[in-house]
Amino acid sequence: MTYVAGFVQAVPEANKAAYLESARRAWPLFKDHGAVEMRECWGDAVPDGELTSFPMAVKAEPGETVVFSWVSFPDKATHDACMASMESDARWQEMFDPQAMPFDMKRMIFGGFEVAFEGR
């Protein structure tokens, strides 16, 4: 059953090109470790909320845009193996140097999800 890793992060608008370049560099690694699809969605209509919202969840600051991303895997086992590869595949360490990231990774939220329904 398809399994999805979802991510939400606040990215400085000035870092959009750098962020998208990091996503382009990450895709081959995800694919090498079994991913079948990756989407990076730059916020366009992401309102502030009163109780909760995407901007509140990632503590978005002025000049930042909320980015919603997901990576699809054929199943949870493939996802788990990909995530484990981040400890052993040196290419991930090169990509995830906190000093070189175009956003604050501490404010990123993420999780794994079983697909319960899919409409097309």
Side-chain angles (χ1 to χ4, degrees):
M1 177 181 294
T2 302
Y3 197 80
V4 176
F7 309 87
V8 180
Q9 54 271 338
V11 179
E13 293 164 8
N15 292 353
K16 182 177 182 179
Y19 177 85
L20 293 174
E21 180 57 29
S22 72
R24 286 183 191 94
R25 288 190 347 257
W27 168 238
L29 295 173
F30 278 113
K31 191 173 178 184
D32 285 353
H33 291 286
V36 296
E37 177 186 41
M38 181 172 133
R39 300 285 173 118
E40 296 289 339
C41 306
W42 194 259
D44 178 54
V46 186
D48 289 323
E50 290 185 30
L51 294 177
T52 189
S53 66
F54 281 117
M56 291 169 74
V58 294
K59 299 183 186 317
E61 299 173 355
E64 292 182 330
T65 296
V66 174
V67 176
F68 175 58
S69 312
W70 70 90
V71 182
S72 298
F73 297 88
D75 51 48
K76 186 178 187 315
T78 304
H79 163 270
D80 292 350
C82 180
M83 296 302 116
S85 78
M86 292 182 182
E87 298 295 322
S88 59
D89 187 329
R91 297 176 298 169
W92 289 116
Q93 276 78 45
E94 291 174 23
M95 291 215 55
F96 293 133
D97 173 7
Q99 302 301 320
M101 292 304 288
F103 66 97
D104 181 357
M105 290 180 64
K106 292 180 207 143
R107 292 186 286 138
M108 177 175 71
I109 58 174
F110 59 92
F113 304 85
E114 266 187 28
V115 174
F117 171 82
E118 184 174 340
R120 289 188 187 249

